[in-house]
Amino acid sequence: QVQLVESGGGLVQAGGSLKLSCTASGRTFSRDAMGWFRQAPGKEREFVASISWTGATTSYADIVKGRFTISRDNAKNTVYLQMNSLKPEDTAVYYCAAGTYSTLRSPNEWRYWGQGTQVTVSS
């Protein structure tokens, strides 16, 4: 059974940092693009960041560019999202996803999903 499991969420003050992790099991994802999405209450799920299977190519939503960094360790089947300078508007459930192409930003185009981890940023 393929699983993506996120961890590292929590409550942090504005300006603080969190590092999310997503570990895959059931098969290797070393040849898959990996991505992070988020969904705030009452809003649609939105793209945050993605990384190609080699790690050579990364992409970010404009609203997180310069604050968030995506990385991966294929030996550990894990992808990370380092989040700095967090803002209250970053509050959401963050989801890890695996897919074919890191350039795709629509959630519908990603195949595998984790269950999500809550990130809450207080002002």
Side-chain angles (χ1 to χ4, degrees), residues 62-77:
D62 287 345
I63 55 175
V64 305
K65 199 173 294 183
R67 300 189 296 123
F68 291 9
T69 302
I70 189 171
S71 61
R72 67 189 297 163
D73 184 339
N74 286 341
K76 296 182 178 179
N77 235 13

Side-chain angles (χ1 to χ4, degrees), residues 26-38:
R27 72 170 182 87
T28 180
F29 283 86
S30 61
R31 292 301 182 104
D32 288 80
M34 301 294 293
W36 287 96
F37 291 74
R38 68 187 186 186

Side-chain angles (χ1 to χ4, degrees), residues 7-112:
S7 61
L11 175 64
V12 64
Q13 288 189 333
S17 298
L18 281 175
K19 186 174 185 177
L20 305 183
S21 300
C22 170
T23 299
S25 62
R27 72 170 182 87
T28 180
F29 283 86
S30 61
R31 292 301 182 104
D32 288 80
M34 301 294 293
W36 287 96
F37 291 74
R38 68 187 186 186
Q39 188 166 16
K43 295 188 177 182
E44 294 186 349
R45 192 170 297 188
E46 63 178 2
F47 170 81
V48 174
S50 64
I51 187 167
S52 62
W53 71 272
T54 64
T57 302
T58 58
S59 180
Y60 297 92
D62 287 345
I63 55 175
V64 305
K65 199 173 294 183
R67 300 189 296 123
F68 291 9
T69 302
I70 189 171
S71 61
R72 67 189 297 163
D73 184 339
N74 286 341
K76 296 182 178 179
N77 235 13
T78 299
V79 63
Y80 306 97
L81 185 67
Q82 176 68 47
M83 305 185 295
N84 298 329
S85 302
L86 283 162
K87 305 175 181 180
E89 50 264 43
D90 293 318
T91 295
V93 177
Y94 283 70
Y95 296 91
C96 170
T100 304
Y101 302 108
S102 63
T103 54
L104 301 176
R105 296 197 171 195
S106 170
N108 293 332
E109 295 170 310
W110 291 75
R111 184 176 181 184
Y112 298 103

